[in-house]
Amino acid sequence: MNNRKIFSAIGDFFTVFGSAVAASRAVEAGRKPRANDLRNLGMEPTAFDRIGRRF
């Protein structure tokens, strides 16, 4: 594995981790996460809209 692939994998990890943190904070604050963060996590933004609350 060359250095470029290693750094790319590390960058992808931080991108996904950052999106997870941002989406989590948005949900905790009662807001919808940004579409880009949801896509980075592998979720379509329209699918997030269909999630119902059970509180």
Side-chain angles (χ1 to χ4, degrees), residues 7-39:
F7 288 124
S8 178
I10 292 170
D12 290 345
F13 171 79
F14 282 113
T15 298
V16 172
F17 185 78
S19 291
V21 170
S24 174
R25 293 189 71 181
V27 170
E28 286 178 350
R31 294 180 283 110
K32 180 181 174 184
R34 293 181 301 183
N36 191 40
D37 288 330
L38 292 173
R39 282 191 207 97

Side-chain angles (χ1 to χ4, degrees), residues 4-6 9 11-14 20 24 28 30-31 34 40-41 44 46 51-53 55:
R4 187 176 192 133
K5 287 184 182 180
I6 292 170
D12 290 345
F13 171 79
F14 282 113
S24 174
E28 286 178 350
R31 294 180 283 110
R34 293 181 301 183
N40 286 339
L41 295 171
E44 285 297 320
T46 55
I51 296 173
R53 289 186 170 189
F55 294 100

